[in-house]
Amino acid sequence: MSSIPCKLLPLALLAALGSAQAQTQTVVVTGNPLGRDGLTQASSVLAGAGLALRRGGTLGETLDGLPGVSATGFGPNASRPVIRGLDGDRVRLLDNGGGSIDASNLSFDHASATDPLVAERIEVLRGPAALLYGGNATGGVVNSIDNRIPRLPASGLSGRAEGRLGSAASERAGAAVLEGGAGSWAWHADAFGRQASDLRVPSYTPVEDGAPLEPSRRVRNSAARSEGGAIGAGWVTSQGYLGASVETARNRYGVTVEPDVFIRMQRDKLALAGEWRARPGFFTQLSAQASHTRYRHEEVEGSGEVGTLFKSTGDELRLTARHAALGPLHGVVGVQAERMDFSALGAEAFVPGTQTRSTALFAVEEMQAGPLLLTGGVRSEHVRVAADGDAADAAEARFGAAASRRFAPTSASLSAGLGGPEGWQGSLTLGHTERAPAYYELYANGVHVATAAYERGDATLGVERSRHVEAGLSWGRGAHHIKASVYRTRFSRYLALDATGADILIAGEGGAADTTVPEYAFRAVRARLQGLEVEGRTRLWGGAGSAFALDLAGSLDTVRGNKLDSGEALPRLTPLRARLSLEAVATGWRVGAGLRHSAAQTRVPATDSATAGWTQLDLWAAGDLPFAAATSWFARAGNATDRLAYNAASVATVRGLSPLAGRSLTLGLRTRF
């Protein structure tokens, strides 16, 4: 970690007093298959009041600001999590532990189909347990949990509801959940909806294709409307459950780079899940999950015609078994099978129809030796990616004949956690990860509007390979804690989208002039990412059982990445970030203020430009309504000083068109019964 300046360490320790707004918890469902507290897992959890205060319009916006987690941004409606500088297919998105099928990994302007409105908790996981969920989880796993398949017994009727109003985009959003049961049967129903206008931002001059436009206080074509819901039911006992759910989600949102284009998205999903616990025999717990997903994504022109249609159909099956102790070893083993059929038709279809098939065997084992806890994971996959090539009646031959590739990636990870005296804990993680190339990395060949480039895949690419090392140290006692980690990931083969230096001539349509766009190609290069994360909290006033407490909290993270052969920086990396907050908590209410700082990002590749640094002030408050049982209110003033800010992790074609939100006030009510 020699290239991380030592002068950051004192600053890190000052800022390392956690994030009061994050409200991260230590119990992790996804990364805790053996029922422990995740000592060797790098994890963050959002739930309860902390999730309500952070909940945004997208999954990426909701998680942005957690240590090591940032977000892409293609306008306010398409944002995917970025973990330690890794995005796209290197971050695995899950719904209740199962794969989330959509097209958000293909393009920055494609929104994730997971809506945080109905999530009860969201987990971010790194380490050996991530291998349970996908070999492409090089960066980590993000799991949204919503209880759509009941897993615990229920009696009578219960539910929760949340409504919120936001000023930055005139947002109106709400969600409601009803649950009930009788005897061994339980059921769940939910519905959600959101509507927003164009996002209001501080006064700025939009930049398009390098040319300034008229000054504005709105992000053009950023309005959105979404709605969805689900029903689920199951048989639940003290020894397990068996259930099913059906869900649908629809989203209509504008594309910022194309002022007269909007996207119409729909995802429908059928899920089955079951678990048998405390069973006799060698395997003491058996779990199964299966899902079928249909995804449809239309890019609608200003005339009302559908310019491009993206369709995906996906199936997933996971079987896991927890075995009885083998001496000091406890663990789970499993098998996973996935299939996805993808097609794109229309003017902006730069990838042919493809079929991806994968099967995997995985295991995570754990051993306690005194104060030392060892956790190891291994995953072996077989992946086939096939392309249809050009259609027989294609007006332009671009994809060639049908083709297919086979891959056999193998990944492994080992973590050691050591509990020390007086609340100290240390950990060390080593990992080797292999990822099969995605279909677009192999077979893309066409103009990609979101990146304003002609993208070419390479059907000869091999698996992406990386090695990872991370060291962590934490201390906690009562209301005080601090946690720090340093990491380095070295890729012997990193699949990067690099400029070739050539320009491609694109013929104009309907009498329009011909244009040229730069050519980019997917290539395997050597690369390195390294970073530092610190978070913590200390109580300035109030002891155990006190009616009033005052907490100081903060966090700091930074990541640096470059291509080893050329020394050029990797694209879209989040710069150094620091947060500092002060929160007062008393019986029935809480109020706080926090500063968020993002340093300037000047380490960028030649094809990008620097992003200025910024500092924003946030204020928040929450409390219980005295006249309504189990009902609480919350309020958040984001960017209270209305500072102009840009997201360095967003793609260059949209960054100058879409700043972060200006001064905004969000008000909401939450109730349970």
Side-chain angles (χ1 to χ4, degrees):
M1 304 303 298
S2 58
S3 60
I4 295 180
C6 293
K7 65 183 180 181
L8 290 182
L9 294 178
L11 177 60
L13 294 176
L14 284 174
L17 306 165
S19 174
Q21 302 168 58
Q23 295 295 304
T24 57
Q25 302 176 16
T26 56
V27 178
V28 181
V29 175
T30 307
N32 194 22
L34 304 178
R36 295 185 184 266
D37 63 1
L39 175 64
T40 62
Q41 306 297 330
S43 308
S44 298
V45 179
L46 286 176
L51 176 57
L53 282 171
R54 295 187 62 101
R55 204 186 313 263
T58 65
L59 186 61
E61 180 187 353
T62 300
L63 298 177
D64 187 20
L66 294 180
V69 183
S70 56
T72 63
F74 203 94
N77 302 309
S79 180
R80 210 173 189 271
V82 179
I83 300 179
R84 293 179 170 179
L86 299 173
D87 59 9
D89 271 290
R90 300 179 183 94
V91 174
R92 177 79 162 165
L93 301 186
L94 304 176
D95 295 327
N96 300 300
S100 178
I101 304 296
D102 53 38
S104 63
N105 60 339
L106 173 65
S107 179
F108 295 102
D109 61 332
H110 295 181
S112 167
T114 299
D115 195 298
L117 262 178
V118 293
E120 293 190 354
R121 57 191 283 130
I122 303 176
E123 303 173 350
V124 180
L125 173 71
R126 300 181 290 271
L131 298 178
L132 291 171
Y133 302 99
N136 59 343
T138 309
V141 167
V142 175
N143 187 25
S144 298
I145 299 170
D146 52 35
N147 198 42
R148 283 173 164 170
I149 296 179
R151 288 166 167 79
L152 296 174
S155 60
L157 178 67
S158 63
R160 61 182 175 88
E162 179 176 319
R164 57 176 56 217
L165 300 173
S167 65
S170 300
E171 181 187 19
R172 301 170 298 283
V177 175
L178 289 176
E179 295 177 329
S184 297
W185 291 97
W187 58 269
H188 168 104
D190 68 63
F192 66 90
R194 174 186 287 107
Q195 187 165 342
S197 303
D198 288 346
L199 180 67
R200 192 190 66 80
V201 298
S203 180
Y204 79 114
T205 301
V207 177
E208 184 175 33
D209 298 330
L213 304 179
E214 290 294 323
S216 177
R217 290 186 62 89
R218 295 280 179 177
V219 175
R220 72 182 189 189
N221 198 24
S222 58
R225 185 181 72 245
S226 62
E227 60 272 332
I231 55 173
W235 177 75
V236 185
T237 72
S238 61
Q239 290 189 308
Y241 65 89
L242 178 64
S245 68
V246 179
E247 64 181 78
T248 186
R250 292 169 171 80
N251 194 354
R252 182 191 186 279
Y253 62 94
V255 180
T256 301
V257 297
E258 299 178 280
D260 60 347
V261 173
F262 68 89
I263 286 175
R264 190 163 55 207
M265 184 187 80
Q266 178 176 344
R267 186 182 73 166
D268 301 308
K269 182 176 181 179
L270 169 66
L272 308 172
E275 186 172 272
W276 183 11
R277 299 183 292 268
R279 65 177 303 276
F282 178 69
F283 291 113
T284 60
Q285 179 174 306
L286 300 177
S287 302
Q289 284 183 300
S291 65
H292 175 74
T293 304
R294 291 183 177 273
Y295 174 88
R296 183 183 180 91
H297 170 120
E298 298 174 334
E299 299 192 352
V300 184
E301 308 290 343
S303 63
E305 297 180 359
V306 176
T308 308
L309 170 64
F310 297 90
K311 296 171 64 177
S312 290
T313 302
D315 297 290
E316 180 184 28
L317 173 66
R318 285 174 48 83
L319 303 173
T320 60
R322 180 175 178 175
H323 63 73
L326 296 173
L329 284 179
H330 301 262
V332 295
V333 297
V335 61
Q336 181 174 3
E338 294 180 302
R339 55 181 293 164
M340 186 183 75
D341 295 339
F342 169 84
S343 67
L345 302 172
E348 297 178 11
F350 64 100
V351 181
T354 60
Q355 301 83 45
T356 302
R357 306 286 185 266
S358 69
T359 57
L361 298 174
F362 55 83
V364 172
E365 299 290 331
E366 190 174 83
M367 180 179 71
Q368 186 84 51
L372 183 66
L373 176 64
L374 296 175
T375 305
V378 64
R379 184 181 182 92
S380 178
E381 293 185 274
H382 290 277
V383 182
R384 179 178 179 268
V385 186
D388 296 338
D390 289 310
D393 58 349
E396 177 186 3
R398 280 193 287 136
F399 304 120
S404 68
R405 290 288 313 280
R406 294 181 182 272
F407 306 92
T410 300
S411 302
S413 184
L414 177 65
S415 288
L418 180 64
E422 299 185 8
W424 286 98
Q425 294 181 341
S427 64
L428 178 67
T429 301
L430 303 174
H432 171 83
T433 302
E434 296 183 352
R435 178 182 71 88
Y439 58 95
Y440 55 88
E441 293 170 322
L442 294 169
Y443 301 118
N445 189 21
V447 177
H448 188 181
V449 174
T451 58
Y454 194 101
E455 295 186 9
R456 292 191 190 277
D458 183 352
T460 67
L461 289 173
V463 296
E464 183 176 79
R465 290 194 177 97
S466 66
R467 291 182 178 178
H468 174 81
V469 59
E470 177 177 354
L473 184 65
S474 66
W475 171 84
R477 179 181 295 173
H480 311 278
H481 79 262
I482 186 170
K483 179 179 179 182
S485 61
V486 291
Y487 62 89
R488 172 177 284 183
T489 303
R490 187 182 180 98
F491 290 84
S492 60
R493 188 182 295 150
Y494 179 89
L495 304 186
L497 186 61
D498 279 347
T500 66
D503 290 327
I504 304 297
L505 180 67
I506 306 299
E509 298 180 359
D514 295 346
T515 59
T516 60
V517 295
E519 181 186 48
Y520 281 68
F522 285 99
R523 294 173 174 170
V525 301
R526 297 191 309 131
R528 180 177 61 215
L529 285 160
Q530 55 190 6
L532 164 73
E533 298 167 5
V534 193
E535 61 171 322
R537 176 189 297 267
T538 188
R539 178 145 293 176
L540 302 178
W541 183 277
S546 174
F548 174 82
L550 185 65
D551 291 340
L552 178 67
S555 64
L556 181 144
D557 61 43
T558 183
V559 59
R560 291 169 66 104
N562 61 284
K563 300 172 187 176
L564 295 178
D565 294 328
S566 66
E568 186 178 45
L570 291 176
R572 302 183 309 280
L573 293 183
T574 302
L576 180 146
R577 303 181 303 175
R579 293 187 175 218
L580 192 65
S581 62
L582 187 66
E583 184 177 56
V585 181
T587 303
W589 62 269
R590 56 191 291 195
V591 61
L595 290 173
R596 292 180 291 136
H597 173 73
S598 177
Q601 180 56 282
T602 57
R603 297 189 71 256
V604 296
T607 54
D608 203 350
S609 58
T611 303
W614 48 267
T615 301
Q616 294 185 352
L617 171 67
D618 297 326
L619 307 171
W620 64 91
D624 299 329
L625 289 179
F627 51 83
T631 300
S632 60
W633 60 270
F634 58 89
R636 177 184 173 86
N639 190 9
T641 57
D642 207 31
R643 293 294 301 273
L644 181 63
Y646 293 91
N647 180 9
S650 63
V651 66
T653 51
V654 76
R655 190 182 307 140
L657 293 170
S658 181
L660 301 180
R663 181 187 296 113
S664 63
L665 177 63
T666 300
L667 302 174
L669 288 175
R670 302 171 66 229
T671 186
R672 289 182 176 271
F673 58 89

